[in-house]
Amino acid sequence: MTPYEIYAIRYAHNPNAKRSTNFIGGDPHDGPMPLDYFVWAIKGPDCNYILDTGFDAAMAAKRQRQMLQSPAVGLRAIGVEPDAVQDVILSHMHYDHCGNYDMFPNARYHLQEKEMAYCTGRCICYPGLRAPFEEEDVVAIVRKLFAGRVAFHDGVEELAPGLTLHHVGGHSKGLQFVRVWTRRGWMVLAADASHFYANMEEGRAFPIVHNHEETLAGYATMRLLSSQKNGIIPGHDPLVLARYPAAAPGLEGIVARLDADPQG
Ligand SMILES: [Zn+2]
Ligand SMILES: [Zn+2]
């Protein structure tokens, strides 16, 4: 099996998050705990896969996040031309993972069937559950569905040799993570199955949950599926760019190479 290269592309930041808002039950030692926002590129010998599409500048303004640059800038910097991408995986339908609808005009979108049902179903009746979703994001994926551009998945499915999708639920009902074969063995791109290293390492969930128990069980599932203890990449942790080298000189703070050996 040819290993894939994997990259984290950082496109936005939230400097205002606190330890107390990043764990269910808060945190006895409160203080700043900022979030980064990423999309991920999975580069293979024949084709590239993108995990999540991020949000745009208008959404950053609406949600009061710091936009750094469009995710397309980081993708192009590592030789991924968005027009040429044929497969986009959406981990789930929260606003920070599925915007930029027109960035990949030739791609098919891979989504868990449960997530589509969830974001168009009765959970949207409840303001608290609706909050991380955006009406236009949901409408955009429905339009792609009618255009024949959505592939549904249910549970665990292989997209290509060395690339599998894993329904995990918990944080959102149809959340999926991705397992990738790399030169470091099997690695897991967790997306929001663990926002920070601390969520999975300390067994303390991020406060947005559909099912708390599934969130906690997901940490163990990811550990089972990763060859190395540090082979799980959390979805929003600024430590990712501290631990992994830039993909190329000049890309510090923008693109990290995740299948490189971590630095410390
Ligand atoms: Zn989320
Ligand atoms: Zn997220």
Side-chain angles (χ1 to χ4, degrees):
M1 218 158 26
T2 314
Y4 288 94
E5 300 174 2
I6 48 177
Y7 299 87
I9 293 102
R10 176 178 179 252
Y11 70 91
H13 186 63
N14 176 8
N16 301 318
K18 292 188 163 57
R19 296 193 64 82
S20 56
T21 58
N22 289 336
F23 300 100
I24 286 179
D27 191 285
H29 307 289
D30 205 6
M33 193 175 181
L35 279 86
D36 275 342
Y37 295 83
F38 300 98
V39 306
W40 297 269
I42 303 161
K43 289 183 76 176
D46 303 320
C47 59
N48 303 322
Y49 297 83
I50 303 301
L51 170 59
D52 291 342
T53 56
F55 53 71
D56 62 12
M59 186 57 65
K62 179 178 177 184
R63 295 268 183 169
Q64 297 181 304
R65 305 293 187 249
Q66 279 180 3
M67 192 76 192
L68 304 173
Q69 70 285 312
S70 164
V73 173
L75 289 171
R76 289 197 175 100
I78 54 166
V80 176
E81 184 52 49
D83 280 5
V85 171
Q86 296 194 346
D87 292 281
V88 167
I89 302 157
L90 294 180
S91 62
H92 63 310
M93 285 298 297
H94 287 169
Y95 79 95
D96 51 323
H97 296 261
C98 66
N100 292 309
Y101 327 123
D102 301 322
M103 190 174 285
F104 304 98
N106 299 305
R108 193 165 45 142
Y109 284 66
H110 298 269
L111 187 63
Q112 288 281 326
E113 198 166 359
K114 281 193 179 75
E115 186 67 358
M116 182 65 112
Y118 188 54
C119 74
T120 53
R122 65 170 64 199
C123 98
I124 303 298
C125 300
Y126 305 107
L129 293 178
R130 182 168 69 228
F133 295 100
E134 284 285 339
E135 179 181 348
E136 292 308 318
D137 290 349
V138 175
V139 169
I141 198 73
V142 170
R143 291 217 167 91
K144 287 188 174 66
L145 174 61
F146 276 82
R149 295 179 57 202
V150 174
F152 286 115
H153 300 278
D154 184 18
V156 181
E157 291 195 36
E158 184 181 73
L159 215 50
L163 178 56
T164 49
L165 310 178
H166 299 256
H167 173 253
V168 61
H171 166 73
S172 190
K173 193 170 186 178
L175 174 67
Q176 61 184 348
F177 64 77
V178 179
R179 186 194 200 205
V180 188
W181 178 252
T182 73
R183 60 188 180 177
R184 291 176 64 203
W186 288 108
M187 292 184 68
V188 170
L189 296 172
D192 286 5
S194 193
H195 284 61
F196 295 94
Y197 283 103
N199 294 117
M200 57 182 167
E201 286 173 1
E202 299 169 21
R204 296 195 296 153
F206 189 82
I208 297 174
V209 284
H210 164 259
N211 183 317
H212 191 180
E213 183 183 5
E214 281 181 6
T215 304
L216 300 175
Y219 303 147
T221 305
M222 291 192 291
R223 276 195 285 272
L224 277 175
L225 292 172
S226 169
S227 300
Q228 296 182 18
K229 207 176 163 194
N230 58 6
I232 307 168
I233 307 297
H236 287 281
D237 199 329
L239 282 175
V240 171
L241 262 60
R243 291 186 180 177
Y244 289 94
L251 292 181
E252 292 81 6
I254 303 174
V255 187
R257 178 91 186 252
L258 302 175
D259 57 318
D261 286 328
Q263 306 157 330

